[in-house]
Short mmCIF file of all heavy atoms in Angstrom, two decimals:
data_model
loop_
_atom_site.label_atom_id
_atom_site.label_comp_id
_atom_site.label_asym_id
_atom_site.label_seq_id
_atom_site.Cartn_x
_atom_site.Cartn_y
_atom_site.Cartn_z
N MET A 1230 0.86 -1.22 0.00
CA MET A 1230 0.09 -0.04 0.04
C MET A 1230 0.92 1.24 0.07
O MET A 1230 1.90 1.30 0.66
CB MET A 1230 -0.95 0.04 1.25
CG MET A 1230 -2.20 -0.76 1.17
SD MET A 1230 -3.21 -0.32 -0.18
CE MET A 1230 -3.93 1.25 0.32
N PRO A 1231 0.46 2.20 -0.68
CA PRO A 1231 1.23 3.51 -0.70
C PRO A 1231 1.13 4.24 0.56
O PRO A 1231 0.12 4.14 1.20
CB PRO A 1231 0.61 4.25 -1.97
CG PRO A 1231 -0.70 3.59 -2.19
CD PRO A 1231 -0.61 2.25 -1.68
N ASN A 1232 2.01 5.02 0.77
CA ASN A 1232 2.10 5.88 2.04
C ASN A 1232 1.77 7.37 1.69
O ASN A 1232 1.17 8.04 2.47
CB ASN A 1232 3.34 5.84 2.77
CG ASN A 1232 3.64 4.42 3.46
OD1 ASN A 1232 2.59 3.89 3.89
ND2 ASN A 1232 4.77 3.85 3.46
N ILE A 1233 2.21 7.70 0.58
CA ILE A 1233 2.09 9.17 0.17
C ILE A 1233 0.74 9.35 -0.36
O ILE A 1233 0.16 8.58 -1.03
CB ILE A 1233 3.09 9.50 -1.03
CG1 ILE A 1233 4.56 9.38 -0.45
CG2 ILE A 1233 2.93 10.90 -1.54
CD1 ILE A 1233 5.55 9.31 -1.41
N GLN A 1234 0.06 10.58 0.04
CA GLN A 1234 -1.23 10.86 -0.23
C GLN A 1234 -1.69 10.83 -1.70
O GLN A 1234 -2.62 10.22 -2.06
CB GLN A 1234 -1.60 12.26 0.32
CG GLN A 1234 -3.10 12.54 0.55
CD GLN A 1234 -3.82 11.62 1.41
OE1 GLN A 1234 -3.24 11.26 2.43
NE2 GLN A 1234 -5.12 11.31 1.20
N SER A 1235 -0.79 11.38 -2.58
CA SER A 1235 -1.08 11.42 -3.95
C SER A 1235 -1.05 9.96 -4.58
O SER A 1235 -1.83 9.57 -5.47
CB SER A 1235 -0.09 12.31 -4.73
OG SER A 1235 1.23 11.85 -4.52
N ALA A 1236 -0.15 9.22 -4.01
CA ALA A 1236 -0.02 7.77 -4.43
C ALA A 1236 -1.27 7.05 -4.08
O ALA A 1236 -1.87 6.15 -5.00
CB ALA A 1236 1.13 6.93 -3.89
N LYS A 1237 -1.96 7.38 -2.95
CA LYS A 1237 -3.20 6.61 -2.44
C LYS A 1237 -4.27 7.09 -3.35
O LYS A 1237 -5.14 6.23 -3.84
CB LYS A 1237 -3.41 7.17 -1.06
CG LYS A 1237 -2.51 6.49 -0.03
CD LYS A 1237 -2.95 6.95 1.34
CE LYS A 1237 -2.07 6.42 2.41
NZ LYS A 1237 -2.43 6.95 3.81
N LYS A 1238 -4.34 8.39 -3.75
CA LYS A 1238 -5.33 8.84 -4.69
C LYS A 1238 -5.19 8.20 -6.04
O LYS A 1238 -6.23 7.82 -6.72
CB LYS A 1238 -5.23 10.36 -4.89
CG LYS A 1238 -6.40 10.93 -5.74
CD LYS A 1238 -6.37 12.34 -5.66
CE LYS A 1238 -7.54 12.97 -6.52
NZ LYS A 1238 -7.54 14.46 -6.58
N ASP A 1239 -3.91 8.09 -6.60
CA ASP A 1239 -3.82 7.42 -7.79
C ASP A 1239 -4.20 5.96 -7.81
O ASP A 1239 -4.71 5.59 -8.81
CB ASP A 1239 -2.25 7.41 -8.25
CG ASP A 1239 -1.70 8.75 -8.64
OD1 ASP A 1239 -2.59 9.67 -9.09
OD2 ASP A 1239 -0.55 9.09 -8.51
N LEU A 1240 -4.04 5.30 -6.71
CA LEU A 1240 -4.57 3.88 -6.63
C LEU A 1240 -5.95 3.84 -6.66
O LEU A 1240 -6.58 3.09 -7.33
CB LEU A 1240 -4.01 3.36 -5.32
CG LEU A 1240 -4.29 1.87 -5.05
CD1 LEU A 1240 -3.66 1.09 -6.06
CD2 LEU A 1240 -3.80 1.43 -3.70
N ARG A 1241 -6.71 4.73 -5.96
CA ARG A 1241 -8.05 4.83 -6.00
C ARG A 1241 -8.58 5.09 -7.40
O ARG A 1241 -9.64 4.43 -7.87
CB ARG A 1241 -8.65 5.85 -4.95
CG ARG A 1241 -8.60 5.56 -3.52
CD ARG A 1241 -9.42 6.59 -2.68
NE ARG A 1241 -9.16 7.96 -3.03
CZ ARG A 1241 -8.32 8.69 -2.37
NH1 ARG A 1241 -7.55 8.27 -1.40
NH2 ARG A 1241 -8.25 10.04 -2.55
N LYS A 1242 -7.96 6.00 -8.10
CA LYS A 1242 -8.41 6.40 -9.45
C LYS A 1242 -8.26 5.22 -10.35
O LYS A 1242 -8.97 4.94 -11.22
CB LYS A 1242 -7.66 7.58 -9.92
CG LYS A 1242 -8.10 8.92 -9.14
CD LYS A 1242 -7.13 10.15 -9.73
CE LYS A 1242 -7.29 10.31 -11.17
NZ LYS A 1242 -6.46 11.51 -11.44
N SER A 1243 -7.03 4.42 -10.20
CA SER A 1243 -6.82 3.46 -11.23
C SER A 1243 -7.87 2.32 -10.98
O SER A 1243 -8.24 1.58 -11.96
CB SER A 1243 -5.34 2.99 -11.14
OG SER A 1243 -5.08 2.46 -9.94
N ARG A 1244 -8.10 1.99 -9.72
CA ARG A 1244 -9.09 0.95 -9.42
C ARG A 1244 -10.52 1.37 -9.98
O ARG A 1244 -11.03 0.47 -10.51
CB ARG A 1244 -9.14 0.81 -7.90
CG ARG A 1244 -8.05 -0.05 -7.46
CD ARG A 1244 -8.24 -0.31 -6.02
NE ARG A 1244 -7.02 -1.15 -5.42
CZ ARG A 1244 -6.80 -1.34 -4.10
NH1 ARG A 1244 -7.59 -0.76 -3.16
NH2 ARG A 1244 -5.74 -2.07 -3.77
N ALA A 1245 -10.88 2.62 -9.81
CA ALA A 1245 -12.17 3.00 -10.37
C ALA A 1245 -12.21 2.79 -11.88
O ALA A 1245 -13.17 2.39 -12.38
CB ALA A 1245 -12.45 4.39 -9.86
N ALA A 1246 -11.07 3.32 -12.54
CA ALA A 1246 -10.92 3.18 -13.98
C ALA A 1246 -11.02 1.79 -14.51
O ALA A 1246 -11.73 1.54 -15.42
CB ALA A 1246 -9.75 4.01 -14.48
N ALA A 1247 -10.34 1.00 -13.71
CA ALA A 1247 -10.33 -0.41 -14.13
C ALA A 1247 -11.72 -1.05 -14.14
O ALA A 1247 -12.05 -1.85 -15.07
CB ALA A 1247 -9.44 -1.29 -13.14
N VAL A 1248 -12.55 -0.73 -13.08
CA VAL A 1248 -13.99 -1.24 -12.96
C VAL A 1248 -14.80 -0.69 -14.08
O VAL A 1248 -15.38 -1.40 -14.76
CB VAL A 1248 -14.47 -0.91 -11.55
CG1 VAL A 1248 -15.99 -1.14 -11.53
CG2 VAL A 1248 -13.81 -1.63 -10.52
N ARG A 1249 -14.57 0.61 -14.37
CA ARG A 1249 -15.31 1.29 -15.39
C ARG A 1249 -14.93 0.76 -16.74
O ARG A 1249 -15.93 0.41 -17.55
CB ARG A 1249 -15.02 2.81 -15.35
CG ARG A 1249 -15.98 3.57 -16.29
CD ARG A 1249 -15.78 5.11 -16.00
NE ARG A 1249 -14.42 5.49 -15.94
CZ ARG A 1249 -13.77 5.96 -14.71
NH1 ARG A 1249 -14.53 5.95 -13.73
NH2 ARG A 1249 -12.63 6.35 -14.76
N ASN A 1250 -13.71 0.57 -17.09
CA ASN A 1250 -13.25 -0.04 -18.26
C ASN A 1250 -13.72 -1.47 -18.56
O ASN A 1250 -14.05 -1.83 -19.68
CB ASN A 1250 -11.70 -0.01 -18.44
CG ASN A 1250 -11.18 1.48 -18.51
OD1 ASN A 1250 -11.85 2.37 -18.98
ND2 ASN A 1250 -9.89 1.59 -18.30
N ARG A 1251 -13.65 -2.24 -17.39
CA ARG A 1251 -14.09 -3.68 -17.57
C ARG A 1251 -15.58 -3.72 -17.92
O ARG A 1251 -15.94 -4.40 -18.74
CB ARG A 1251 -13.86 -4.36 -16.29
CG ARG A 1251 -14.14 -5.87 -16.32
CD ARG A 1251 -13.50 -6.56 -15.26
NE ARG A 1251 -13.69 -5.99 -13.89
CZ ARG A 1251 -12.70 -5.63 -13.11
NH1 ARG A 1251 -11.48 -5.79 -13.46
NH2 ARG A 1251 -12.95 -5.06 -11.98
N ALA A 1252 -16.37 -2.82 -17.30
CA ALA A 1252 -17.85 -2.92 -17.59
C ALA A 1252 -18.06 -2.39 -19.15
O ALA A 1252 -18.99 -2.99 -19.82
CB ALA A 1252 -18.54 -1.96 -16.70
N GLN A 1253 -17.32 -1.35 -19.45
CA GLN A 1253 -17.63 -0.80 -20.86
C GLN A 1253 -17.12 -1.84 -21.96
O GLN A 1253 -17.77 -2.00 -22.98
CB GLN A 1253 -16.92 0.43 -21.10
CG GLN A 1253 -17.67 1.63 -20.30
CD GLN A 1253 -16.89 2.93 -20.54
OE1 GLN A 1253 -15.83 3.03 -21.07
NE2 GLN A 1253 -17.54 4.05 -20.00
N ARG A 1254 -16.01 -2.46 -21.63
CA ARG A 1254 -15.49 -3.47 -22.65
C ARG A 1254 -16.43 -4.64 -22.73
O ARG A 1254 -16.62 -5.25 -23.78
CB ARG A 1254 -14.04 -3.87 -22.20
CG ARG A 1254 -13.36 -4.65 -23.24
CD ARG A 1254 -11.86 -5.09 -22.83
NE ARG A 1254 -11.06 -3.81 -22.98
CZ ARG A 1254 -10.43 -3.37 -21.87
NH1 ARG A 1254 -10.38 -3.98 -20.72
NH2 ARG A 1254 -9.67 -2.24 -22.07
N SER A 1255 -16.96 -5.03 -21.56
CA SER A 1255 -17.88 -6.21 -21.61
C SER A 1255 -19.08 -5.90 -22.50
O SER A 1255 -19.63 -6.60 -23.13
CB SER A 1255 -18.39 -6.45 -20.08
OG SER A 1255 -19.32 -7.47 -20.10
N ALA A 1256 -19.64 -4.70 -22.31
CA ALA A 1256 -20.85 -4.10 -22.86
C ALA A 1256 -20.61 -4.12 -24.35
O ALA A 1256 -21.31 -4.50 -25.28
CB ALA A 1256 -21.36 -2.71 -22.46
N LEU A 1257 -19.43 -3.62 -24.74
CA LEU A 1257 -18.92 -3.53 -26.07
C LEU A 1257 -18.95 -4.90 -26.78
O LEU A 1257 -19.42 -5.16 -27.88
CB LEU A 1257 -17.52 -2.91 -26.20
CG LEU A 1257 -16.91 -2.73 -27.62
CD1 LEU A 1257 -17.83 -1.97 -28.58
CD2 LEU A 1257 -15.56 -2.36 -27.60
N ARG A 1258 -18.25 -5.91 -26.00
CA ARG A 1258 -18.17 -7.31 -26.67
C ARG A 1258 -19.50 -7.87 -26.76
O ARG A 1258 -19.78 -8.55 -27.87
CB ARG A 1258 -17.31 -8.12 -25.69
CG ARG A 1258 -15.79 -7.81 -25.80
CD ARG A 1258 -15.09 -8.72 -24.85
NE ARG A 1258 -13.71 -8.41 -24.86
CZ ARG A 1258 -12.92 -8.51 -23.76
NH1 ARG A 1258 -13.41 -8.92 -22.61
NH2 ARG A 1258 -11.58 -8.20 -23.80
N THR A 1259 -20.43 -7.68 -25.90
CA THR A 1259 -21.75 -8.11 -26.02
C THR A 1259 -22.48 -7.75 -27.15
O THR A 1259 -23.16 -8.38 -28.00
CB THR A 1259 -22.58 -7.88 -24.63
OG1 THR A 1259 -21.86 -8.49 -23.55
CG2 THR A 1259 -23.91 -8.41 -24.75
N ALA A 1260 -22.46 -6.29 -27.39
CA ALA A 1260 -22.94 -5.69 -28.55
C ALA A 1260 -22.54 -6.09 -29.86
O ALA A 1260 -23.29 -6.39 -30.81
CB ALA A 1260 -22.95 -4.19 -28.42
N VAL A 1261 -21.11 -6.29 -29.98
CA VAL A 1261 -20.55 -6.78 -31.21
C VAL A 1261 -20.97 -8.20 -31.54
O VAL A 1261 -21.33 -8.62 -32.54
CB VAL A 1261 -19.05 -6.64 -31.16
CG1 VAL A 1261 -18.39 -7.34 -32.31
CG2 VAL A 1261 -18.81 -5.18 -31.14
N LYS A 1262 -21.10 -9.02 -30.35
CA LYS A 1262 -21.50 -10.48 -30.63
C LYS A 1262 -22.89 -10.52 -31.24
O LYS A 1262 -23.22 -11.37 -32.07
CB LYS A 1262 -21.37 -11.22 -29.38
CG LYS A 1262 -19.99 -11.82 -29.04
CD LYS A 1262 -19.98 -12.46 -27.81
CE LYS A 1262 -18.46 -12.82 -27.30
NZ LYS A 1262 -18.47 -13.59 -26.20
N LYS A 1263 -23.79 -9.69 -30.42
CA LYS A 1263 -25.23 -9.65 -30.91
C LYS A 1263 -25.36 -9.17 -32.52
O LYS A 1263 -26.12 -9.68 -33.21
CB LYS A 1263 -26.05 -8.81 -30.12
CG LYS A 1263 -26.38 -9.31 -28.77
CD LYS A 1263 -27.32 -8.36 -27.90
CE LYS A 1263 -27.66 -8.91 -26.52
NZ LYS A 1263 -28.39 -7.92 -25.82
N ALA A 1264 -24.55 -8.19 -32.65
CA ALA A 1264 -24.62 -7.65 -34.09
C ALA A 1264 -24.02 -8.73 -35.16
O ALA A 1264 -24.57 -8.85 -36.23
CB ALA A 1264 -23.79 -6.47 -34.29
N LYS A 1265 -23.02 -9.51 -34.82
CA LYS A 1265 -22.51 -10.45 -35.51
C LYS A 1265 -23.36 -11.66 -35.85
O LYS A 1265 -23.57 -12.18 -37.05
CB LYS A 1265 -21.18 -11.09 -35.02
CG LYS A 1265 -19.95 -10.23 -35.36
CD LYS A 1265 -18.76 -10.99 -34.94
CE LYS A 1265 -17.53 -10.15 -34.83
NZ LYS A 1265 -16.45 -10.85 -34.06
N ASN A 1266 -24.08 -12.16 -34.85
CA ASN A 1266 -24.87 -13.32 -34.82
C ASN A 1266 -26.29 -12.98 -35.34
O ASN A 1266 -27.22 -13.11 -34.59
CB ASN A 1266 -24.93 -13.97 -33.53
CG ASN A 1266 -23.67 -14.49 -33.08
OD1 ASN A 1266 -22.67 -14.85 -33.93
ND2 ASN A 1266 -23.33 -14.54 -31.85
N GLY A 1267 -26.47 -12.52 -36.47
CA GLY A 1267 -27.76 -12.21 -37.07
C GLY A 1267 -28.48 -11.17 -36.49
O GLY A 1267 -29.78 -11.11 -36.41
N GLY A 1268 -27.82 -10.06 -36.05
CA GLY A 1268 -28.40 -8.83 -35.53
C GLY A 1268 -29.13 -8.14 -36.51
O GLY A 1268 -28.74 -8.04 -37.73
N ASN A 1269 -30.21 -7.26 -36.12
CA ASN A 1269 -30.84 -6.47 -37.00
C ASN A 1269 -29.99 -5.22 -37.31
O ASN A 1269 -28.94 -4.99 -36.64
CB ASN A 1269 -32.32 -6.21 -36.58
CG ASN A 1269 -32.41 -5.51 -35.16
OD1 ASN A 1269 -31.28 -5.12 -34.70
ND2 ASN A 1269 -33.57 -5.65 -34.63
N ALA A 1270 -30.51 -4.33 -37.95
CA ALA A 1270 -29.83 -3.01 -38.33
C ALA A 1270 -29.61 -2.19 -37.07
O ALA A 1270 -28.64 -1.49 -37.03
CB ALA A 1270 -30.73 -2.25 -39.30
N ASP A 1271 -30.60 -2.18 -36.18
CA ASP A 1271 -30.45 -1.30 -34.97
C ASP A 1271 -29.35 -1.89 -34.15
O ASP A 1271 -28.59 -1.04 -33.45
CB ASP A 1271 -31.79 -1.43 -34.16
CG ASP A 1271 -32.96 -0.64 -34.73
OD1 ASP A 1271 -32.53 0.36 -35.61
OD2 ASP A 1271 -34.03 -0.83 -34.45
N GLU A 1272 -29.20 -3.17 -33.92
CA GLU A 1272 -28.13 -3.70 -33.18
C GLU A 1272 -26.74 -3.56 -33.82
O GLU A 1272 -25.83 -3.24 -33.13
CB GLU A 1272 -28.30 -5.32 -32.95
CG GLU A 1272 -29.45 -5.64 -32.02
CD GLU A 1272 -29.74 -7.10 -31.93
OE1 GLU A 1272 -29.27 -7.84 -32.86
OE2 GLU A 1272 -30.24 -7.55 -30.88
N ARG A 1273 -26.77 -3.50 -35.09
CA ARG A 1273 -25.37 -3.12 -35.80
C ARG A 1273 -25.02 -1.77 -35.56
O ARG A 1273 -23.84 -1.33 -35.35
CB ARG A 1273 -25.60 -3.48 -37.36
CG ARG A 1273 -25.41 -5.00 -37.68
CD ARG A 1273 -25.17 -5.24 -39.09
NE ARG A 1273 -26.16 -4.67 -39.98
CZ ARG A 1273 -27.28 -5.36 -40.37
NH1 ARG A 1273 -27.45 -6.61 -39.99
NH2 ARG A 1273 -28.18 -4.80 -41.17
N LEU A 1274 -26.07 -0.90 -35.59
CA LEU A 1274 -25.77 0.74 -35.55
C LEU A 1274 -25.30 0.83 -34.09
O LEU A 1274 -24.40 1.70 -33.84
CB LEU A 1274 -27.04 1.44 -35.74
CG LEU A 1274 -27.25 1.97 -37.28
CD1 LEU A 1274 -28.59 2.54 -37.37
CD2 LEU A 1274 -26.10 2.77 -37.66
N SER A 1275 -25.89 0.23 -33.22
CA SER A 1275 -25.55 0.37 -31.79
C SER A 1275 -24.15 -0.20 -31.59
O SER A 1275 -23.33 0.52 -30.85
CB SER A 1275 -26.56 -0.41 -30.88
OG SER A 1275 -25.98 -0.55 -29.60
N ALA A 1276 -23.78 -1.36 -32.15
CA ALA A 1276 -22.36 -1.84 -32.01
C ALA A 1276 -21.54 -0.89 -32.79
O ALA A 1276 -20.25 -0.67 -31.99
CB ALA A 1276 -22.40 -3.26 -32.68
N VAL A 1277 -21.73 -0.30 -33.82
CA VAL A 1277 -20.77 0.60 -34.50
C VAL A 1277 -20.72 1.82 -33.67
O VAL A 1277 -19.42 2.41 -33.46
CB VAL A 1277 -21.27 1.05 -35.96
CG1 VAL A 1277 -20.54 2.17 -36.51
CG2 VAL A 1277 -21.17 -0.20 -36.74
N SER A 1278 -21.60 2.29 -33.01
CA SER A 1278 -21.55 3.45 -32.23
C SER A 1278 -20.74 3.22 -31.02
O SER A 1278 -19.79 4.01 -30.70
CB SER A 1278 -22.94 3.86 -31.63
OG SER A 1278 -23.00 4.92 -30.80
N LEU A 1279 -20.84 2.02 -30.35
CA LEU A 1279 -20.08 1.66 -29.09
C LEU A 1279 -18.60 1.54 -29.54
O LEU A 1279 -17.75 2.00 -28.75
CB LEU A 1279 -20.56 0.47 -28.52
CG LEU A 1279 -21.92 0.52 -27.64
CD1 LEU A 1279 -22.40 -0.81 -27.24
CD2 LEU A 1279 -21.54 1.51 -26.41
N LEU A 1280 -18.36 1.03 -30.72
CA LEU A 1280 -16.95 0.90 -31.11
C LEU A 1280 -16.39 2.20 -31.42
O LEU A 1280 -15.23 2.40 -31.01
CB LEU A 1280 -16.94 0.04 -32.49
CG LEU A 1280 -17.13 -1.51 -32.38
CD1 LEU A 1280 -17.37 -2.09 -33.77
CD2 LEU A 1280 -15.91 -2.05 -31.73
N ASP A 1281 -17.09 3.15 -32.09
CA ASP A 1281 -16.50 4.47 -32.17
C ASP A 1281 -16.18 5.16 -30.80
O ASP A 1281 -15.15 5.77 -30.65
CB ASP A 1281 -17.59 5.39 -32.98
CG ASP A 1281 -17.50 4.99 -34.43
OD1 ASP A 1281 -16.67 4.41 -34.98
OD2 ASP A 1281 -18.61 5.27 -35.07
N ARG A 1282 -17.16 5.01 -29.87
CA ARG A 1282 -16.96 5.62 -28.61
C ARG A 1282 -15.72 5.01 -27.80
O ARG A 1282 -14.92 5.75 -27.36
CB ARG A 1282 -18.19 5.50 -27.79
CG ARG A 1282 -17.98 5.98 -26.28
CD ARG A 1282 -19.25 5.77 -25.54
NE ARG A 1282 -19.19 6.09 -24.14
CZ ARG A 1282 -19.23 7.36 -23.75
NH1 ARG A 1282 -19.48 8.36 -24.34
NH2 ARG A 1282 -18.99 7.43 -22.35
N ALA A 1283 -15.61 3.60 -27.93
CA ALA A 1283 -14.57 2.99 -27.21
C ALA A 1283 -13.14 3.42 -27.83
O ALA A 1283 -12.21 3.65 -27.14
CB ALA A 1283 -14.70 1.43 -27.32
N ALA A 1284 -13.13 3.63 -29.16
CA ALA A 1284 -11.93 3.98 -29.82
C ALA A 1284 -11.59 5.43 -29.34
O ALA A 1284 -10.40 5.80 -29.15
CB ALA A 1284 -12.04 3.97 -31.35
N ARG A 1285 -12.65 6.29 -29.37
CA ARG A 1285 -12.37 7.58 -29.08
C ARG A 1285 -11.89 7.83 -27.64
O ARG A 1285 -11.08 8.77 -27.28
CB ARG A 1285 -13.77 8.45 -29.21
CG ARG A 1285 -13.51 9.93 -29.14
CD ARG A 1285 -14.84 10.62 -29.59
NE ARG A 1285 -15.82 10.42 -28.77
CZ ARG A 1285 -17.09 9.79 -29.03
NH1 ARG A 1285 -17.16 9.30 -30.32
NH2 ARG A 1285 -17.90 9.49 -28.17
N LYS A 1286 -12.41 7.02 -26.67
CA LYS A 1286 -11.98 7.15 -25.27
C LYS A 1286 -10.72 6.38 -24.98
O LYS A 1286 -10.28 6.40 -23.85
CB LYS A 1286 -13.25 6.49 -24.38
CG LYS A 1286 -14.55 7.27 -24.36
CD LYS A 1286 -14.45 8.59 -23.72
CE LYS A 1286 -15.75 9.09 -23.78
NZ LYS A 1286 -15.72 10.51 -22.92
N GLY A 1287 -10.14 5.71 -26.01
CA GLY A 1287 -8.93 4.90 -25.68
C GLY A 1287 -9.15 3.51 -25.08
O GLY A 1287 -8.17 3.00 -24.72
N LEU A 1288 -10.36 2.98 -25.11
CA LEU A 1288 -10.69 1.71 -24.53
C LEU A 1288 -10.14 0.57 -25.33
O LEU A 1288 -9.71 -0.47 -24.75
CB LEU A 1288 -12.17 1.59 -24.22
CG LEU A 1288 -12.68 0.39 -23.51
CD1 LEU A 1288 -12.25 0.55 -22.05
CD2 LEU A 1288 -14.18 0.28 -23.52
N ILE A 1289 -10.29 0.79 -26.72
CA ILE A 1289 -9.73 -0.05 -27.64
C ILE A 1289 -8.87 0.81 -28.66
O ILE A 1289 -9.18 1.94 -28.82
CB ILE A 1289 -10.75 -0.82 -28.39
CG1 ILE A 1289 -11.70 -0.08 -29.18
CG2 ILE A 1289 -11.27 -1.92 -27.43
CD1 ILE A 1289 -12.68 -0.86 -30.03
N HIS A 1290 -8.09 0.19 -29.50
CA HIS A 1290 -7.23 1.01 -30.43
C HIS A 1290 -8.21 1.34 -31.62
O HIS A 1290 -9.13 0.51 -31.98
CB HIS A 1290 -6.09 0.02 -30.91
CG HIS A 1290 -5.04 0.78 -31.62
ND1 HIS A 1290 -5.12 1.06 -32.96
CD2 HIS A 1290 -3.91 1.33 -31.33
CE1 HIS A 1290 -4.12 1.70 -33.37
NE2 HIS A 1290 -3.34 1.96 -32.37
N ARG A 1291 -7.79 2.35 -32.23
CA ARG A 1291 -8.78 2.89 -33.31
C ARG A 1291 -8.73 1.94 -34.49
O ARG A 1291 -9.86 1.75 -35.23
CB ARG A 1291 -8.49 4.31 -33.76
CG ARG A 1291 -6.91 4.42 -34.18
CD ARG A 1291 -6.73 5.89 -34.38
NE ARG A 1291 -5.24 6.00 -34.70
CZ ARG A 1291 -4.78 6.20 -35.96
NH1 ARG A 1291 -5.67 6.02 -37.05
NH2 ARG A 1291 -3.53 6.27 -36.13
N ASN A 1292 -7.63 1.36 -34.74
CA ASN A 1292 -7.53 0.32 -35.91
C ASN A 1292 -8.35 -0.96 -35.54
O ASN A 1292 -8.93 -1.63 -36.52
CB ASN A 1292 -6.11 -0.15 -36.20
CG ASN A 1292 -5.31 1.09 -36.71
OD1 ASN A 1292 -5.89 1.98 -37.03
ND2 ASN A 1292 -4.03 0.86 -36.92
N THR A 1293 -8.41 -1.35 -34.22
CA THR A 1293 -9.27 -2.41 -33.82
C THR A 1293 -10.76 -2.12 -34.12
O THR A 1293 -11.45 -2.93 -34.74
CB THR A 1293 -9.01 -2.82 -32.34
OG1 THR A 1293 -7.67 -3.11 -32.23
CG2 THR A 1293 -9.89 -4.03 -31.96
N ALA A 1294 -11.12 -0.97 -33.82
CA ALA A 1294 -12.43 -0.54 -34.01
C ALA A 1294 -13.00 -0.43 -35.42
O ALA A 1294 -13.82 -0.99 -35.93
CB ALA A 1294 -12.72 0.87 -33.44
N ALA A 1295 -11.89 0.09 -36.19
CA ALA A 1295 -12.14 0.11 -37.70
C ALA A 1295 -12.26 -1.26 -38.34
O ALA A 1295 -13.08 -1.58 -39.17
CB ALA A 1295 -10.89 0.88 -38.38
N ARG A 1296 -11.50 -2.24 -37.78
CA ARG A 1296 -11.42 -3.53 -38.36
C ARG A 1296 -12.73 -4.27 -37.95
O ARG A 1296 -13.25 -4.98 -38.89
CB ARG A 1296 -10.29 -4.37 -37.75
CG ARG A 1296 -10.09 -5.82 -38.33
CD ARG A 1296 -8.88 -6.52 -37.80
NE ARG A 1296 -9.07 -6.72 -36.40
CZ ARG A 1296 -8.24 -6.23 -35.41
NH1 ARG A 1296 -7.35 -5.34 -35.77
NH2 ARG A 1296 -8.54 -6.39 -34.12
N GLN A 1297 -13.30 -4.09 -36.73
CA GLN A 1297 -14.37 -4.72 -36.38
C GLN A 1297 -15.66 -4.05 -37.03
O GLN A 1297 -16.62 -4.82 -37.50
CB GLN A 1297 -14.58 -4.69 -34.82
CG GLN A 1297 -13.62 -5.55 -34.15
CD GLN A 1297 -13.87 -5.56 -32.57
OE1 GLN A 1297 -14.53 -4.71 -32.13
NE2 GLN A 1297 -13.19 -6.31 -31.91
N LYS A 1298 -15.63 -2.88 -37.35
CA LYS A 1298 -16.78 -2.12 -38.07
C LYS A 1298 -16.80 -2.77 -39.50
O LYS A 1298 -17.89 -2.79 -40.02
CB LYS A 1298 -16.46 -0.71 -38.02
CG LYS A 1298 -16.86 0.02 -36.57
CD LYS A 1298 -16.51 1.47 -36.58
CE LYS A 1298 -16.86 2.24 -37.71
NZ LYS A 1298 -16.34 3.79 -37.47
N SER A 1299 -15.52 -2.85 -40.03
CA SER A 1299 -15.52 -3.31 -41.40
C SER A 1299 -16.07 -4.73 -41.63
O SER A 1299 -16.88 -5.04 -42.50
CB SER A 1299 -14.01 -3.39 -41.88
OG SER A 1299 -13.92 -3.93 -43.06
N LYS A 1300 -15.66 -5.59 -40.48
CA LYS A 1300 -16.28 -7.08 -40.59
C LYS A 1300 -17.81 -6.97 -40.44
O LYS A 1300 -18.47 -7.73 -41.10
CB LYS A 1300 -15.78 -7.72 -39.43
CG LYS A 1300 -14.38 -8.30 -39.70
CD LYS A 1300 -13.79 -9.00 -38.37
CE LYS A 1300 -14.11 -10.56 -38.50
NZ LYS A 1300 -13.36 -11.28 -37.39
N LEU A 1301 -18.30 -6.05 -39.53
CA LEU A 1301 -19.78 -5.98 -39.40
C LEU A 1301 -20.46 -5.47 -40.72
O LEU A 1301 -21.48 -6.02 -41.07
CB LEU A 1301 -20.11 -5.07 -38.28
CG LEU A 1301 -19.93 -5.47 -36.87
CD1 LEU A 1301 -20.13 -4.41 -35.90
CD2 LEU A 1301 -20.81 -6.70 -36.60
N ALA A 1302 -19.82 -4.54 -41.31
CA ALA A 1302 -20.33 -4.13 -42.62
C ALA A 1302 -20.31 -5.13 -43.68
O ALA A 1302 -21.29 -5.20 -44.53
CB ALA A 1302 -19.52 -2.80 -43.06
N ARG A 1303 -19.26 -5.83 -43.81
CA ARG A 1303 -19.21 -6.96 -44.85
C ARG A 1303 -20.22 -8.03 -44.54
O ARG A 1303 -20.87 -8.47 -45.46
CB ARG A 1303 -17.83 -7.56 -44.75
CG ARG A 1303 -16.70 -6.88 -45.71
CD ARG A 1303 -15.52 -7.66 -45.54
NE ARG A 1303 -15.13 -7.94 -44.20
CZ ARG A 1303 -13.88 -8.38 -43.89
NH1 ARG A 1303 -12.87 -8.25 -44.73
NH2 ARG A 1303 -13.61 -8.60 -42.56
N LYS A 1304 -20.46 -8.31 -43.13
CA LYS A 1304 -21.38 -9.31 -42.92
C LYS A 1304 -22.85 -8.80 -43.18
O LYS A 1304 -23.62 -9.56 -43.67
CB LYS A 1304 -21.29 -9.68 -41.54
CG LYS A 1304 -21.99 -10.91 -41.04
CD LYS A 1304 -21.56 -11.31 -39.73
CE LYS A 1304 -22.41 -12.58 -39.22
NZ LYS A 1304 -21.94 -13.88 -39.76
N ALA A 1305 -23.05 -7.56 -43.05
CA ALA A 1305 -24.36 -6.94 -43.24
C ALA A 1305 -24.59 -6.95 -44.84
O ALA A 1305 -25.81 -7.10 -45.31
CB ALA A 1305 -24.51 -5.49 -42.66
N ALA A 1306 -23.63 -6.70 -45.62
CA ALA A 1306 -23.80 -6.58 -47.02
C ALA A 1306 -24.15 -7.96 -47.81
O ALA A 1306 -24.81 -7.98 -48.55
CB ALA A 1306 -22.51 -6.08 -47.57
N THR A 1307 -23.47 -8.95 -47.09
CA THR A 1307 -23.67 -10.35 -47.61
C THR A 1307 -24.99 -10.92 -47.10
O THR A 1307 -25.65 -11.78 -47.76
CB THR A 1307 -22.62 -11.30 -47.28
OG1 THR A 1307 -22.45 -11.37 -45.85
CG2 THR A 1307 -21.23 -10.90 -47.90
N ALA A 1308 -25.54 -10.37 -46.03
CA ALA A 1308 -26.74 -10.98 -45.48
C ALA A 1308 -28.02 -10.50 -46.04
O ALA A 1308 -28.07 -9.55 -46.79
CB ALA A 1308 -26.82 -10.75 -43.96
#
């Protein structure tokens, strides 16, 4: 455990961020899976929106978001 006050605060902040990131990443994965497995247009739009937001916030890399969006678009075009 840290002894310095600022280090204690950093620990609290990093733990809170980890919880928040885990929840957002889980929601993102769920939305992408729903969109991939025969999702309708609304589910695909929701997944794309979440991917954009996650990339903007730094939750996932922007190229990862672009790749996943591309896969969803290809799957939608063939379906």
